[in-house]
Amino acid sequence: MRVNPDIPLAAVPPTVWTLPDPTQRAARHVWWRAWAAWLRAGGAVPESRRRFEVWVAQLAQDPAQARAVRRLWWHTLQDLELAPWLADEGIAQQPSWSAEAMLRLRQHWLPVAPTTRDAHTLLLWIFDDPRDERWLRALPRHALQRLFTLMATDTEAPRAREQWTAWVLDALHLCALRVAETGTQPDLRQRMADGARRLRVFLDLPTRVAALRDALAAGDTEAAQRAEQALRTALDEARHAAYSAYGHLQEAGVAMSVVFALRQLRLRVLRAKLLLRLLRSPDAARATLHMLARLVRQGHEARSVRALWLQLSQLLAERVSQRSAETGEHYITRTAAEYRAMLWRAAGGGAVLGLTTWCKFLLGGLGLAAFWAGLAAGLNYAFWFVVIMLLHLTVATKQPAMTAPAMAARLKDLHSREAVLRFVDEVAHLVRSQSAAVIGNVAAVIPAVWALHALHTAWTGAPLIDAAQAEYVLAKHQLLGPTLLLAAGTGVLLFASSQIAGWVENAFVLHRLHDALAYHPRSVAWLGAARAQAWADWWRTHISGLAANISLGLLLGLVPVALQFFGIPFDVRHVTLVTGQMAAAALSLGADVWARPDWWLAVAATALVGPINVAVSFYLALRLALRAQGVNHVNRERIAQALRHRWRRAPGSFFWPPRSA
């Protein structure tokens, strides 16, 4: 083996230089994988460039070896279906997102057989490192052109060019067919704008590709240019027609199947345009390499289940955040009058939660089995939360998951310092409102529990809870125990209930249940047209709140039972409920409890439960809303700096209302 003296580097290793029998598929594919691993050079791009130059230079000096590599190359290409690979690599292969998720899980966990003839599988088995795109794009142009010359001899070059053009045109035809198939799906078409429902926009796409193929076969350059432009125009028209469905999704609910179809259609259109550029590129070698690098990157992205979920949940997250933002506006106070009103609503909510605490103790005395005890507790919470909602009162810890999207909705335009300062003002209003709600809840639940204790004692002659129960309450709320961690877990449940509410509200709108209630013949027959309309309007207004409150109650009751079944200790730490339990324990233990250190440790823990509930649920909701709104890192940092500045200059603005608006 002769080495080019102009390149003072190590020779190609025997594992790469020794070629297998090109007719043996498994050995051939294993060799390509070893070749890519050697060129990868551990991710060092300059070393990859040098190794590629060495390999090409040695091929150029050894005609026999070049012929062997050429035979290996052509056997590989002829054995694979390249047109579907060019059309589909990096794009979901299944018709639905659930089927695609299952396919990606199988691809992730099951090993690859080297005898595969599937180009999709083989490509990512050979280039199995997501970083391969970088060194592929960085390969030197002169060495790449030299390799392409070696792979296509004078007698094979015309056949190679014709074969490559045929593969690209077939891939382009597949893209056109699949765009047409997607654009004619009933679920998508019924959501398009009226002016976009023209079938010919989609059905003409394969015809446009056929016209381009005929012009290229005839060698008519002008006709080929006209056909290419007509195809580009048709692709744009098809994409714009399909995109009109996004307006319907924003107004009438998000269907995951439609979001998936729209994303697939967009990727197909982009792939078709990329194939057109590849077809007309004057530097075929460089364009092909860039296409390979792009497909490697997109192929790895298309194997990620997490990426699939993030892509599909983007619109739904925006929809949920938008609905939560509309609801969250009612929880933000900006004036002293609104602040006082929030205190009164929170006090009413705290008084009702006193009844919740009393019912919880009564249910605990029934001695139910674990599941039924959890279900009873969940129904108890859900019932009283719904009562609070219908009375237009407030539960403090339910606010953050609703108000965070309302904050994020203001982050779309942060192009000036004044806009950032206005947002900081809104954050101050929010924190102040949340403080008022917590104060109102806690201040009212204590006298409510005391009043219930007095009534219970007068009626039965016994305290609300006995001394043993009071000691248990005191012991499980200690500062040095898991109370603060459990408070954070409760914050996650608070956030989860807001998401459930958003999903339920989205489904209510998506499936047009409002119209079903208002116009269904049976509803009209039972209630009359006016009452049926009023009933439908009531459900449309309250469906999100009902879903949030009922789901939160059931989560608080059933999640601890479910986790304990798997050996994970968990209990609810909700600031108002914990305060009510502590008040009942103090009344049962008497005045001596005030001298006990464990009492004060429990009081300190209770004081921290509220901020942790609020912080965790607000953080999770804000993070989701920021992703839905597409707020970048730069704007996030600007906001953080402005908040720190406000905290240093005017900390009181976060706790006390202004005297005027």
Side-chain angles (χ1 to χ4, degrees):
M1 177 172 50
R2 294 171 294 176
V3 180
N4 189 339
D6 297 332
I7 307 178
L9 297 168
V12 180
T15 55
V16 175
W17 193 254
T18 304
L19 300 179
D21 182 353
T23 63
Q24 299 296 319
R25 184 183 301 128
R28 187 174 66 227
H29 294 169
V30 169
W31 183 88
W32 283 115
R33 181 179 169 93
W35 172 81
W38 175 69
L39 284 180
R40 185 179 300 124
V45 174
E47 178 64 17
S48 297
R49 290 171 55 91
R50 290 193 293 269
R51 289 186 181 187
F52 185 74
E53 289 178 335
V54 168
W55 182 65
V56 173
Q58 292 180 356
L59 284 183
Q61 296 178 30
D62 192 336
Q65 186 74 0
R67 284 194 299 272
V69 173
R70 185 163 56 247
R71 290 184 61 218
L72 192 69
W73 170 257
W74 281 107
H75 271 85
T76 302
L77 294 183
Q78 296 297 330
D79 197 36
L80 300 173
E81 288 188 312
L82 290 187
W85 172 65
L86 289 170
D88 297 335
E89 184 59 58
I91 303 175
Q93 302 176 34
Q94 299 298 315
S96 66
W97 71 272
S98 56
E100 179 66 19
M102 294 302 298
L103 174 64
R104 294 188 184 192
L105 287 173
R106 291 197 300 270
Q107 292 172 335
H108 181 73
W109 291 108
L110 297 181
V112 173
T115 54
T116 181
R117 297 182 64 182
D118 181 9
H120 302 280
T121 303
L122 183 62
L123 174 78
L124 295 188
W125 188 68
I126 294 174
F127 300 102
D128 60 344
D129 191 327
R131 298 173 298 177
D132 286 340
E133 181 201 13
R134 296 188 301 169
W135 65 264
L136 282 171
R137 288 185 180 275
L139 294 181
R141 183 186 298 269
H142 64 279
L144 183 66
Q145 188 61 52
R146 195 175 188 184
L147 175 64
F148 267 63
T149 302
L150 290 172
M151 292 300 102
T153 61
D154 293 339
T155 58
E156 293 173 334
R159 183 168 64 89
R161 285 194 294 269
E162 292 174 3
Q163 181 66 70
W164 178 247
T165 300
W167 283 332
V168 175
L169 285 172
D170 288 345
L172 192 58
H173 206 151
L174 285 173
C175 285
L177 287 172
R178 286 166 184 165
V179 169
E181 179 185 6
T182 303
T184 54
Q185 290 181 5
D187 283 350
L188 179 57
R189 290 191 57 78
Q190 68 180 355
R191 290 171 171 82
M192 293 182 189
D194 292 338
R197 296 178 188 173
R198 291 184 293 116
L199 278 174
R200 301 309 310 177
V201 171
F202 298 98
L203 298 182
D204 284 345
L205 288 174
T207 306
R208 304 285 187 186
V209 178
L212 176 61
R213 188 193 297 270
D214 293 342
L216 291 174
D220 190 338
T221 304
E222 293 184 0
Q225 290 177 349
R226 289 194 300 270
E228 179 183 349
Q229 184 58 44
L231 177 58
R232 289 181 181 275
T233 302
L235 288 169
D236 288 335
E237 290 177 352
R239 184 180 62 178
H240 293 153
Y243 276 16
S244 66
Y246 276 113
H248 183 277
L249 292 175
Q250 292 291 346
E251 297 174 0
V254 177
M256 297 294 279
S257 60
V258 176
V259 175
F260 184 79
L262 286 170
R263 173 172 171 76
Q264 296 301 95
L265 186 142
R266 173 181 175 273
L267 293 177
R268 300 283 184 198
V269 170
L270 293 177
R271 179 61 54 82
K273 291 186 175 182
L274 183 64
L275 291 171
L276 283 174
R277 288 199 298 270
L278 180 64
L279 193 64
R280 307 287 288 174
S281 174
D283 189 348
R286 198 68 182 171
T288 303
L289 181 67
H290 282 185
M291 183 72 173
L292 175 63
R294 179 191 293 265
L295 294 183
V296 167
R297 173 177 57 81
Q298 293 180 345
H300 281 289
E301 292 174 352
R303 297 299 190 271
S304 172
V305 178
R306 180 176 181 272
L308 175 68
W309 172 250
L310 290 177
Q311 292 160 2
L312 293 176
S313 63
Q314 183 75 22
L315 240 181
L316 187 56
E318 183 175 353
R319 174 66 182 172
V320 171
S321 297
Q322 178 183 354
R323 175 60 183 170
S324 298
E326 295 169 2
T327 306
E329 285 291 338
H330 302 295
Y331 292 114
I332 301 177
T333 65
R334 297 177 177 84
T335 66
E338 292 176 349
Y339 182 85
R340 289 191 295 270
M342 175 62 72
L343 281 173
W344 283 110
R345 291 200 304 272
V352 175
L353 289 177
L355 290 170
T356 309
T357 305
W358 178 56
C359 292
K360 174 181 171 59
F361 286 134
L362 292 180
L363 293 171
L366 297 179
L368 299 174
F371 171 78
W372 298 109
L375 179 60
L379 293 175
N380 173 51
Y381 294 142
F383 173 77
W384 291 111
F385 287 157
V386 170
V387 169
I388 291 172
M389 181 199 76
L390 296 178
L391 294 176
H392 303 289
L393 303 177
T394 297
V395 178
T397 49
K398 285 186 81 285
Q399 291 177 234
M402 296 296 183
T403 50
M407 292 289 96
R410 293 174 170 78
L411 296 178
K412 294 182 178 180
D413 298 313
L414 290 179
H415 304 301
S416 66
R417 181 174 179 272
E418 290 73 16
V420 175
L421 293 179
R422 284 195 298 270
F423 178 77
V424 172
D425 288 336
E426 289 298 312
V427 173
H429 296 325
L430 170 62
V431 174
R432 188 165 58 242
S433 305
Q434 189 63 62
S435 301
V438 172
I439 293 170
N441 278 174
V442 171
V445 74
I446 295 174
V449 170
W450 286 352
L452 290 169
H453 173 84
L455 291 173
H456 190 274
T457 303
W459 183 264
T460 65
L464 190 61
I465 58 175
D466 58 28
Q469 288 178 296
E471 291 289 352
Y472 175 74
V473 168
L474 204 60
K476 75 176 185 178
H477 292 105
Q478 290 297 301
L479 178 63
L480 302 180
T483 294
L484 302 186
L485 183 61
L486 297 178
T490 304
V492 175
L493 298 183
L494 292 164
F495 164 73
S497 71
S498 71
Q499 299 309 297
I500 292 173
W503 281 62
V504 170
E505 190 270 346
N506 179 74
F508 187 91
V509 175
L510 178 65
H511 298 291
R512 300 181 179 179
L513 296 183
H514 174 274
D515 293 343
L517 292 172
Y519 303 112
H520 195 279
R522 186 172 298 176
S523 298
V524 174
W526 285 354
L527 301 175
R531 290 183 179 179
Q533 183 66 51
W535 179 240
D537 292 343
W538 187 91
W539 276 100
R540 178 65 182 86
T541 303
H542 293 89
I543 185 64
S544 180
L546 289 171
N549 287 288
I550 294 172
S551 63
L552 177 59
L554 294 177
L555 287 172
L556 294 178
L558 291 175
V559 168
V561 176
L563 292 179
Q564 288 168 11
F565 177 80
F566 293 101
I568 303 174
F570 183 77
D571 197 7
V572 171
R573 292 295 185 270
H574 183 282
V575 58
T576 314
L577 298 175
V578 169
T579 303
Q581 294 176 45
M582 289 289 294
L587 291 171
S588 179
L589 295 174
D592 293 341
V593 74
W594 300 99
R596 294 173 52 173
D598 57 343
W599 163 258
W600 293 108
L601 288 174
V603 170
T606 303
L608 295 175
V609 166
I612 292 175
N613 287 162
V614 171
V616 170
S617 59
F618 182 80
Y619 168 76
L620 294 174
L622 183 61
R623 182 176 178 180
L624 179 69
L626 290 175
R627 180 163 64 87
Q629 299 292 349
V631 180
N632 58 35
H633 177 73
V634 174
N635 281 334
R636 296 185 191 188
E637 184 59 30
R638 292 172 62 197
I639 293 167
Q641 292 177 356
L643 286 172
R644 288 193 293 268
H645 178 75
R646 171 66 67 86
W647 179 258
R648 290 192 300 267
R649 296 294 300 273
S653 63
F654 290 93
F655 301 101
W656 308 111
R659 295 185 178 182
S660 60

